């Protein structure tokens, strides 16, 4: 028996309604792909090798509710990249940030390049948040191991950095 607060299952439109919906979705997908392709001309190593176009930044506006209060999300190039200019671009942008979301892959859990990057930024960043990515590829036991490993490593390394900073002042 359905309770009053239960929502009815979504029904797929049929006939002409389905055709209009499918066409609209196809148009949105094509537009999104067009935008991704255009953006790639400026921000990918493949289409803008060694940043020959001298792109300093690209601004993409999106009506996401999380951004309505004025928050700005900045996606910097990866650190420890094959390309040194990617890491330099990230380091150069840090003074403009109030916080950083540091995405760590579950596979491998954290690289020495990422740890070295953290050593360089931990004293310059007022707030660091860590996100463990690719956990959906792990079973529950592997997920717990990865979280424990990354948490333990970060706690040890950040304590080391904090001690070194206190000693240098």
């Amino acid at each position: 028996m359905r309770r009053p607060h239960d929502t009815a299952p979504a029904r797929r439109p049929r006939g002409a309604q389905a055709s209009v919906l499918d066409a609209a979705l196809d148009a949105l997908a094509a537009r999104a792909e067009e935008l991704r392709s255009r953006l790639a001309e400026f921000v990918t190593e493949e289409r803008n090798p060694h940043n020959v176009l001298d792109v300093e930044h690209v601004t993409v506006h999106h009506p996401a509710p999380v951004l309505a209060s004025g928050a700005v999300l900045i996606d910097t190039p990866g650190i420890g990249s094959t390309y040194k200019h990617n890491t330099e671009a990230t380091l150069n942008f840090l003074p403009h940030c109030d916080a950083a979301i540091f995405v760590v892959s579950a596979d491998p859990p954290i690289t020495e390049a990422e740890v070295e990057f953290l050593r360089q930024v931990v004293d310059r960043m007022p707030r660091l948040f860590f996100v463990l990515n690719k956990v959906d590829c792990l079973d529950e036991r592997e997920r717990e191991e990865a979280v424990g490993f990354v948490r333990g490593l970060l706690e040890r390394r950040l304590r080391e950095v904090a001690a070194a900073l206190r000693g240098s002042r």
Side-chain angles (χ1 to χ4, degrees):
M1 181 168 114
R2 292 184 76 72
R3 293 175 293 210
H5 64 280
D6 287 343
T7 57
R11 284 196 227 160
R12 175 109 166 102
R14 296 182 182 183
Q17 284 181 326
S19 295
V20 169
L21 178 61
D22 288 343
L25 291 174
D26 288 346
L28 282 173
R31 181 72 177 138
E33 185 52 43
E34 177 185 329
L35 292 171
R36 272 191 294 277
S37 178
R38 182 77 174 126
L39 185 59
E41 292 176 26
F42 300 97
V43 301
T44 64
E45 196 62 36
E46 180 181 329
R47 309 237 333 251
N48 183 12
H50 302 286
N51 194 19
V52 295
L53 298 176
D54 200 29
V55 176
E56 287 187 27
H57 70 276
V58 174
T59 303
V60 177
H61 296 274
H62 190 277
V66 71
L67 305 176
S69 67
V72 177
L73 297 177
I74 301 163
D75 183 9
T76 61
I79 55 98
S81 168
T82 303
Y83 305 101
K84 185 178 178 184
H85 62 273
N86 284 346
T87 301
E88 289 171 356
T90 298
L91 288 169
N92 291 338
F93 206 82
L94 290 177
H96 307 285
C97 299
D98 296 316
I101 301 171
F102 194 84
V103 180
V104 179
S105 177
D107 180 32
I110 191 165
T111 66
E112 190 57 37
E114 290 169 327
V115 171
E116 182 54 37
F117 176 79
L118 286 172
R119 283 188 185 115
Q120 294 178 53
V121 302
V122 73
D123 65 323
R124 295 193 253 170
M125 190 56 49
R127 288 177 255 354
L128 277 171
F129 300 92
F130 295 91
V131 174
L132 187 59
N133 193 14
K134 300 183 184 177
V135 294
D136 56 327
C137 299
L138 307 175
D139 64 33
E140 187 174 340
R141 182 189 57 76
E142 293 169 325
R143 201 170 21 255
E144 289 172 6
E145 284 179 12
V147 168
F149 176 81
V150 170
R151 179 178 284 139
L153 181 67
L154 289 174
E155 287 172 352
R156 282 190 308 279
R157 295 301 174 106
L158 292 176
R159 274 195 303 270
E160 291 169 8
V161 170
L165 289 173
R166 283 192 300 272
S168 68
R169 291 183 181 154

